Amino acid sequence: MTKTIPAYQRIKNAILDNIHSGKWQAGNAISTEMALAEEFGVSRMTVNRALKELSEERVLERRQGSGTFVAQQQFNHTFVEVRNIAEDLKSANRDYEAQVVSKRAITADMLDDELRRKFGIDEGSAPILAHANDSDTAVLYEVKIIHFADGQPIQFEERWVDAKKVPKFIDQDFSVVNTSDYLIAKSPLERGSYTIRALAAPDEIARFLQIAPQSPTLVLRRQTYSAGQVVTFVKMWHAGDRYQFSGEL
C-alpha cells in the first residue's frame, strides 16, 4: 500500500520546490503560517513544525514580528572542500582527459534501495501520478566518467544528481565540464559526508580502470547537501597502485 505523506512533510516539500524553482529567492518572505495552513488544510501547529525544521536545516530564517524568510545561504567552495581531479592533475603538470562512459535519466521505478535511501526517496512518498506518462519523469540523473592522467585511467566516477534541483545537469558535456564545478556553480553546497574504503575491483570497474579484476581499489563515496537536502551522491573508484589520499591536520 502507498503510504500517506505527513502533512508537515508535504509543506516542507512545497516550500523547497518554490525555493529551487526560483519562485522564492534568498531574502524573500514566504507565505504566512495562516496562509500555509489554509492552503494545505492543516492546523498552524503543523505548519509551525514544517517551518521549524526548515529553519533548523538553515533553509529558512524566522524573524520575530516580521515573518519567515528564505535564508541567505553563505555557502562557498571552501566550506565543503570538493577536490577537482582535473585541476589537481594539471597543477601536477600531468595531462588530463575525461571520457564520458554513459549519461542517463533515472525514473522512480528504476531506483535501487541505496539511491532511495541516499536521496530520501521513499517508495511510499512518491506523489500520485496525474497521467500515465508521469512515470517517465526523471528523479535522478546518472553519469559515469573515466578520468585519465597521462593517458592512464586514474579514477572512475559514478555520480547521481537530483534531477529537479539541477535540471540542466544531464545536458552538459562532461568531457569538458567538471561535474563538481558545475554542481557548485548551480547549487551551492552547504555540507557533505564521505567514506573511503579499500575494495576489490568488480569486473566492470576493473575494465574501466584497466586493471585486473579483484585488484585493490580505493573508493571514495560522498554525498553533498544544498538547502538541507542531498543534491548529489558519487562513488569515485581509484586504482590502488596509482592513487593516494593526503591532507593536512
Side-chain angles (χ1 to χ4, degrees):
M1 292 180 62
T2 301
K3 299 177 184 177
T4 301
I5 305 174
Y8 79 91
Q9 187 62 53
R10 288 191 289 111
I11 297 168
K12 287 181 67 175
N13 292 346
I15 291 172
L16 288 168
D17 286 347
N18 283 338
I19 293 172
H20 288 301
S21 69
K23 179 179 178 180
W24 292 340
Q25 299 185 15
N28 288 169
I30 71 167
S31 301
T32 65
E33 283 191 15
M34 185 176 295
L36 289 170
E38 291 179 357
E39 178 182 350
F40 288 91
V42 297
S43 68
R44 290 185 63 175
M45 184 179 298
T46 300
V47 174
N48 187 274
R49 176 178 176 179
L51 299 185
K52 182 175 182 292
E53 290 191 5
L54 287 173
S55 297
E56 291 172 349
E57 294 165 5
R58 296 182 294 178
V59 176
L60 299 178
E61 179 184 357
R62 307 181 78 179
R63 303 175 192 169
Q64 189 171 1
S66 299
T68 304
F69 299 79
V70 179
Q72 295 282 354
Q73 305 294 345
Q74 302 298 323
F75 309 148
N76 56 52
H77 194 177
T78 57
F79 186 56
V80 177
E81 184 178 8
V82 177
R83 304 297 299 180
N84 180 335
I85 190 171
E87 294 302 321
D88 285 349
L89 292 175
K90 290 174 184 176
S91 66
N93 295 316
R94 302 186 67 180
D95 290 332
Y96 169 77
E97 180 185 357
Q99 177 185 326
V100 178
V101 175
S102 64
K103 293 195 299 182
R104 65 170 179 160
I106 296 180
T107 57
D109 59 345
M110 296 166 61
L111 293 172
D112 60 24
D113 290 342
E114 181 179 39
L115 291 177
R116 287 186 185 278
R117 185 173 66 254
K118 289 292 183 184
F119 287 88
I121 303 172
D122 182 30
E123 284 185 294
S125 68
I128 297 174
L129 302 177
H131 304 286
N133 61 2
D134 285 350
S135 61
D136 297 330
T137 301
V139 293
L140 300 179
Y141 292 135
E142 176 192 84
V143 62
K144 297 184 179 183
I145 304 169
I146 307 173
H147 300 273
F148 294 83
D150 298 330
Q152 186 177 51
I154 194 170
Q155 181 192 93
F156 176 61
E157 173 183 354
E158 299 178 283
R159 184 181 294 272
W160 296 269
V161 174
D162 189 309
K164 192 168 186 178
K165 294 183 179 63
V166 196
K168 299 295 184 182
F169 179 84
I170 200 69
D171 299 326
Q172 308 310 305
D173 180 357
F174 290 116
S175 65
V176 178
V177 179
N178 180 267
T179 50
S180 293
D181 283 352
Y182 181 79
L183 289 169
I184 289 169
K186 297 299 179 182
S187 191
L189 309 180
E190 69 174 308
R191 63 186 177 93
S193 60
Y194 69 89
T195 62
I196 299 173
R197 295 182 61 191
L199 294 176
D203 290 352
E204 180 187 44
I205 304 300
R207 185 172 72 255
F208 291 136
L209 289 176
Q210 297 177 18
I211 58 179
Q214 303 303 304
S215 294
T217 64
L218 291 173
V219 185
L220 185 150
R221 297 157 59 94
R222 183 179 66 220
Q223 57 194 45
T224 47
Y225 296 76
S226 182
Q229 294 187 321
V230 174
V231 68
T232 182
F233 169 56
V234 62
K235 297 178 186 178
M236 297 177 179
W237 298 76
H238 309 81
D241 61 348
R242 301 176 196 160
Y243 205 92
Q244 68 178 14
F245 292 94
S246 62
E248 297 181 1
L249 296 176

Coordinates of all heavy atoms in Angstrom, one line a residue, residues 82-86 96 98 100 102-103 141-147 155 157-161 166 169-170 172-187 189 222 224 231-236:
V82 N 35.6 20.3 -2.1 CA 35.4 19.3 -3.1 C 36.6 19.3 -4.1 O 36.7 20.3 -4.8 CB 34.0 19.4 -3.8 CG1 33.9 18.4 -4.9 CG2 32.9 19.4 -2.8
R83 N 37.4 18.3 -4.1 CA 38.6 18.3 -4.9 C 38.2 18.1 -6.4 O 37.3 17.4 -6.7 CB 39.5 17.2 -4.5 CG 39.9 17.2 -3.1 CD 40.7 18.4 -2.8 NE 42.0 18.5 -3.6 CZ 42.8 19.5 -3.4 NH1 42.6 20.5 -2.6 NH2 43.9 19.5 -4.2
N84 N 38.8 18.9 -7.3 CA 38.6 18.8 -8.7 C 39.8 18.1 -9.3 O 40.9 18.6 -9.3 CB 38.5 20.3 -9.3 CG 38.3 20.3 -10.8 OD1 38.7 19.3 -11.5 ND2 37.8 21.3 -11.2
I85 N 39.6 16.8 -9.7 CA 40.7 16.0 -10.1 C 41.4 16.6 -11.4 O 42.6 16.5 -11.5 CB 40.2 14.5 -10.4 CG1 41.4 13.6 -10.7 CG2 39.2 14.5 -11.6 CD1 41.1 12.2 -10.8
A86 N 40.6 17.3 -12.2 CA 41.2 17.9 -13.4 C 42.2 19.0 -13.0 O 43.4 19.0 -13.5 CB 40.1 18.6 -14.2
Y96 N 45.6 15.8 -18.5 CA 44.3 15.3 -18.0 C 43.3 15.2 -19.2 O 43.3 16.0 -20.1 CB 43.7 16.3 -17.0 CG 42.3 16.0 -16.7 CD1 42.0 14.9 -15.8 CD2 41.2 16.7 -17.2 CE1 40.6 14.6 -15.5 CE2 39.9 16.4 -16.9 CZ 39.6 15.4 -16.0 OH 38.3 15.1 -15.8
A98 N 39.0 13.5 -19.7 CA 37.9 12.9 -19.2 C 37.1 12.2 -20.3 O 36.9 12.8 -21.4 CB 37.0 13.8 -18.5
V100 N 33.4 10.3 -21.1 CA 32.1 10.0 -20.6 C 31.7 8.6 -21.1 O 31.6 8.4 -22.3 CB 31.1 11.1 -21.0 CG1 29.7 10.7 -20.5 CG2 31.5 12.5 -20.5
S102 N 28.8 7.0 -19.9 CA 27.3 7.0 -20.1 C 26.7 8.1 -19.4 O 27.2 8.6 -18.4 CB 26.7 5.6 -19.7 OG 26.9 5.5 -18.3
K103 N 25.5 8.5 -19.8 CA 24.6 9.5 -19.2 C 23.2 9.0 -19.3 O 22.8 8.6 -20.4 CB 24.7 10.9 -19.8 CG 26.1 11.6 -19.6 CD 26.0 13.1 -19.9 CE 25.6 13.4 -21.3 NZ 25.5 14.8 -21.6
Y141 N 19.7 12.0 -12.2 CA 20.5 11.9 -13.4 C 21.7 11.1 -13.0 O 22.3 11.3 -11.9 CB 20.9 13.2 -14.0 CG 19.8 14.0 -14.6 CD1 19.7 15.4 -14.3 CD2 18.9 13.5 -15.4 CE1 18.6 16.1 -14.8 CE2 17.8 14.2 -16.0 CZ 17.7 15.5 -15.7 OH 16.7 16.3 -16.2
E142 N 22.2 10.2 -13.9 CA 23.3 9.4 -13.6 C 24.4 9.6 -14.7 O 24.1 9.7 -15.9 CB 23.0 7.9 -13.6 CG 24.2 7.0 -13.4 CD 23.8 5.5 -13.7 OE1 23.8 5.1 -14.9 OE2 23.4 4.8 -12.8
V143 N 25.6 9.8 -14.3 CA 26.7 9.9 -15.3 C 27.9 9.1 -14.8 O 28.1 8.9 -13.6 CB 27.2 11.4 -15.4 CG1 27.7 12.0 -14.1 CG2 28.2 11.6 -16.5
K144 N 28.6 8.4 -15.8 CA 29.8 7.6 -15.5 C 30.9 8.2 -16.3 O 30.7 8.3 -17.5 CB 29.5 6.2 -15.7 CG 28.4 5.5 -14.9 CD 28.3 4.1 -15.1 CE 27.2 3.5 -14.2 NZ 27.0 2.0 -14.3
I145 N 32.0 8.4 -15.7 CA 33.1 9.1 -16.3 C 34.5 8.5 -16.0 O 34.7 8.2 -14.8 CB 33.2 10.6 -16.0 CG1 31.9 11.3 -16.3 CG2 34.3 11.3 -16.7 CD1 31.7 12.7 -15.7
I146 N 35.3 8.3 -16.9 CA 36.7 7.8 -16.6 C 37.6 9.1 -16.7 O 37.6 9.8 -17.7 CB 37.2 6.8 -17.6 CG1 36.2 5.6 -17.7 CG2 38.6 6.3 -17.2 CD1 36.5 4.6 -18.8
H147 N 38.4 9.3 -15.7 CA 39.4 10.4 -15.7 C 40.8 9.8 -15.9 O 41.2 8.8 -15.2 CB 39.3 11.1 -14.3 CG 38.0 11.7 -14.0 ND1 37.6 12.9 -14.4 CD2 36.9 11.2 -13.3 CE1 36.4 13.2 -14.0 NE2 35.9 12.1 -13.4
Q155 N 40.8 7.4 -12.3 CA 39.6 7.4 -11.5 C 38.4 7.1 -12.3 O 38.3 7.6 -13.5 CB 39.4 8.8 -10.8 CG 38.2 9.0 -10.0 CD 37.9 10.4 -9.6 OE1 37.1 11.1 -10.3 NE2 38.5 10.9 -8.5
E157 N 34.4 7.6 -12.1 CA 33.4 8.3 -11.3 C 32.0 7.8 -11.7 O 31.6 7.8 -12.9 CB 33.5 9.8 -11.6 CG 32.4 10.7 -11.0 CD 32.6 12.2 -11.4 OE1 33.6 12.5 -12.1 OE2 31.7 12.9 -11.1
E158 N 31.2 7.5 -10.7 CA 29.8 7.2 -10.8 C 29.0 8.2 -10.0 O 29.2 8.3 -8.8 CB 29.4 5.8 -10.3 CG 30.1 4.6 -11.0 CD 29.7 3.3 -10.4 OE1 30.3 3.0 -9.3 OE2 28.9 2.6 -11.0
R159 N 28.2 9.0 -10.7 CA 27.5 10.1 -9.9 C 26.0 10.1 -10.2 O 25.6 9.9 -11.4 CB 28.2 11.5 -10.4 CG 27.6 12.6 -9.6 CD 28.2 14.0 -10.0 NE 29.6 14.0 -9.7 CZ 30.1 14.5 -8.6 NH1 29.3 14.9 -7.6 NH2 31.4 14.6 -8.4
W160 N 25.3 10.5 -9.2 CA 23.8 10.6 -9.3 C 23.5 12.0 -8.7 O 24.0 12.4 -7.7 CB 23.1 9.5 -8.5 CG 23.4 8.2 -9.0 CD1 22.6 7.5 -10.0 CD2 24.5 7.3 -8.7 NE1 23.2 6.3 -10.2 CE2 24.3 6.1 -9.5 CE3 25.5 7.4 -7.8 CZ2 25.2 5.1 -9.4 CZ3 26.4 6.3 -7.7 CH2 26.3 5.2 -8.5
V161 N 22.6 12.7 -9.5 CA 22.2 14.1 -9.1 C 20.7 14.2 -9.1 O 20.0 13.6 -10.0 CB 22.8 15.1 -10.2 CG1 22.4 16.5 -9.9 CG2 24.4 15.0 -10.1
V166 N 18.8 20.2 -10.1 CA 19.8 20.6 -11.2 C 19.3 20.1 -12.5 O 19.9 19.2 -13.1 CB 21.2 20.1 -10.8 CG1 22.3 20.8 -11.6 CG2 21.5 20.2 -9.3
F169 N 21.7 19.5 -15.6 CA 22.9 18.7 -15.4 C 23.2 17.7 -16.6 O 24.3 17.6 -17.1 CB 22.8 17.9 -14.1 CG 24.0 17.1 -13.8 CD1 25.1 17.6 -13.2 CD2 24.0 15.7 -14.1 CE1 26.2 16.8 -12.9 CE2 25.1 14.9 -13.8 CZ 26.2 15.5 -13.2
I170 N 22.2 17.0 -17.0 CA 22.3 16.0 -18.0 C 22.7 16.5 -19.3 O 23.2 15.8 -20.2 CB 21.0 15.1 -18.1 CG1 21.2 13.8 -18.7 CG2 19.9 15.9 -18.8 CD1 22.0 12.8 -17.8
Q172 N 25.0 18.7 -20.0 CA 26.4 19.2 -20.0 C 27.4 18.2 -20.7 O 27.1 17.0 -20.7 CB 26.9 19.5 -18.6 CG 26.1 20.4 -17.9 CD 25.7 21.7 -18.6 OE1 26.6 22.4 -19.1 NE2 24.4 21.9 -18.7
D173 N 28.4 18.7 -21.3 CA 29.5 17.8 -21.9 C 30.5 17.6 -20.8 O 31.4 18.5 -20.6 CB 30.0 18.5 -23.1 CG 31.1 17.6 -23.8 OD1 31.5 16.6 -23.2 OD2 31.7 18.1 -24.8
F174 N 30.5 16.5 -20.1 CA 31.4 16.3 -19.0 C 32.8 15.8 -19.4 O 33.6 15.5 -18.6 CB 30.8 15.4 -18.0 CG 29.6 16.0 -17.3 CD1 28.3 15.5 -17.4 CD2 29.8 17.2 -16.5 CE1 27.3 16.1 -16.8 CE2 28.7 17.8 -15.8 CZ 27.5 17.3 -16.0
S175 N 33.0 15.8 -20.7 CA 34.4 15.6 -21.2 C 35.1 17.0 -21.1 O 36.4 17.0 -21.2 CB 34.5 15.0 -22.6 OG 33.9 15.9 -23.5
V176 N 34.3 18.0 -21.0 CA 34.9 19.4 -21.0 C 34.6 20.1 -19.6 O 35.4 20.7 -19.0 CB 34.3 20.3 -22.1 CG1 34.8 21.7 -22.0 CG2 34.6 19.7 -23.4
V177 N 33.4 19.9 -19.1 CA 32.9 20.5 -17.8 C 33.1 19.5 -16.7 O 32.7 18.3 -16.8 CB 31.4 20.9 -17.9 CG1 31.0 21.5 -16.6 CG2 31.2 21.8 -19.1
N178 N 33.7 19.9 -15.6 CA 33.9 19.1 -14.4 C 32.6 19.0 -13.6 O 31.9 20.0 -13.4 CB 35.0 19.6 -13.5 CG 35.2 18.8 -12.3 OD1 34.7 19.0 -11.3 ND2 36.0 17.7 -12.4
T179 N 32.2 17.8 -13.3 CA 30.9 17.6 -12.6 C 30.8 18.4 -11.3 O 29.8 19.1 -11.0 CB 30.6 16.1 -12.3 OG1 31.8 15.6 -11.7 CG2 30.4 15.4 -13.6
S180 N 31.8 18.3 -10.5 CA 31.8 19.0 -9.2 C 31.7 20.5 -9.3 O 30.9 21.2 -8.7 CB 33.0 18.6 -8.3 OG 32.9 17.3 -8.0
D181 N 32.5 21.1 -10.3 CA 32.5 22.5 -10.5 C 31.1 23.0 -11.0 O 30.6 24.0 -10.5 CB 33.5 22.9 -11.6 CG 34.9 22.9 -11.0 OD1 35.1 22.7 -9.8 OD2 35.9 23.0 -11.8
Y182 N 30.5 22.2 -11.8 CA 29.2 22.6 -12.3 C 28.1 22.6 -11.2 O 27.3 23.5 -11.1 CB 28.7 21.6 -13.5 CG 27.4 22.0 -14.0 CD1 27.3 23.0 -15.0 CD2 26.2 21.3 -13.6 CE1 26.0 23.3 -15.5 CE2 25.0 21.6 -14.1 CZ 24.9 22.7 -15.1 OH 23.7 23.0 -15.6
L183 N 28.2 21.6 -10.4 CA 27.2 21.5 -9.3 C 27.4 22.6 -8.3 O 26.4 23.2 -7.8 CB 27.3 20.1 -8.6 CG 26.8 18.9 -9.4 CD1 27.2 17.6 -8.7 CD2 25.3 19.0 -9.6
I184 N 28.6 22.9 -8.0 CA 28.9 24.0 -7.0 C 28.4 25.3 -7.6 O 27.8 26.2 -6.9 CB 30.4 24.1 -6.7 CG1 30.8 22.9 -5.9 CG2 30.7 25.4 -6.0 CD1 32.3 22.8 -5.7
A185 N 28.5 25.5 -8.9 CA 28.0 26.8 -9.5 C 26.5 26.9 -9.5 O 25.9 28.0 -9.4 CB 28.6 26.9 -10.9
K186 N 25.9 25.7 -9.7 CA 24.4 25.7 -9.9 C 23.6 25.5 -8.6 O 22.5 25.9 -8.5 CB 24.0 24.7 -10.9 CG 24.5 24.9 -12.3 CD 24.0 26.2 -12.9 CE 24.6 26.5 -14.3 NZ 24.1 27.8 -14.8
S187 N 24.2 24.8 -7.6 CA 23.5 24.5 -6.4 C 24.6 24.5 -5.3 O 25.1 23.5 -4.9 CB 22.9 23.1 -6.5 OG 22.0 22.9 -5.4
L189 N 27.0 24.2 -2.2 CA 26.9 23.1 -1.3 C 27.1 23.6 0.1 O 28.0 24.4 0.4 CB 28.1 22.1 -1.6 CG 28.1 21.6 -3.1 CD1 29.2 20.6 -3.2 CD2 26.8 21.0 -3.5
R222 N 30.7 9.9 -1.5 CA 30.5 11.2 -0.9 C 29.1 11.6 -1.3 O 28.6 11.5 -2.4 CB 31.5 12.2 -1.4 CG 31.3 13.6 -0.8 CD 32.4 14.6 -1.4 NE 32.2 14.8 -2.8 CZ 33.2 14.9 -3.7 NH1 34.5 14.7 -3.3 NH2 33.0 15.1 -5.0
T224 N 26.7 15.2 -0.9 CA 26.7 16.6 -0.5 C 25.3 17.2 -0.5 O 24.4 16.7 -1.3 CB 27.6 17.4 -1.5 OG1 27.3 17.1 -2.8 CG2 29.1 17.1 -1.2
V231 N 22.0 16.7 -2.8 CA 21.9 17.1 -4.2 C 22.6 16.2 -5.1 O 22.3 16.0 -6.3 CB 22.3 18.6 -4.4 CG1 23.8 18.7 -4.1 CG2 22.0 19.1 -5.8
T232 N 23.7 15.5 -4.5 CA 24.4 14.6 -5.4 C 25.1 13.5 -4.5 O 25.5 13.8 -3.3 CB 25.5 15.3 -6.2 OG1 26.2 14.3 -7.0 CG2 26.5 16.0 -5.3
F233 N 25.2 12.3 -5.0 CA 25.9 11.2 -4.4 C 26.8 10.6 -5.5 O 26.5 10.5 -6.6 CB 24.9 10.1 -4.0 CG 25.5 8.8 -3.6 CD1 26.5 8.8 -2.6 CD2 25.1 7.6 -4.1 CE1 27.0 7.6 -2.2 CE2 25.7 6.4 -3.8 CZ 26.6 6.4 -2.8
V234 N 28.1 10.4 -5.1 CA 29.1 10.0 -6.0 C 30.0 8.9 -5.4 O 30.2 8.8 -4.2 CB 30.0 11.2 -6.5 CG1 30.8 11.7 -5.3 CG2 31.0 10.8 -7.6
K235 N 30.3 7.9 -6.3 CA 31.3 6.9 -6.0 C 32.5 7.1 -6.9 O 32.4 7.2 -8.1 CB 30.8 5.5 -6.2 CG 29.6 5.1 -5.3 CD 29.2 3.7 -5.7 CE 27.9 3.3 -5.0 NZ 27.4 1.9 -5.4
M236 N 33.7 7.3 -6.3 CA 34.9 7.5 -7.1 C 35.9 6.4 -6.9 O 36.4 6.2 -5.8 CB 35.6 8.8 -6.8 CG 34.7 10.1 -7.1 SD 35.5 11.6 -6.6 CE 34.2 12.8 -7.1

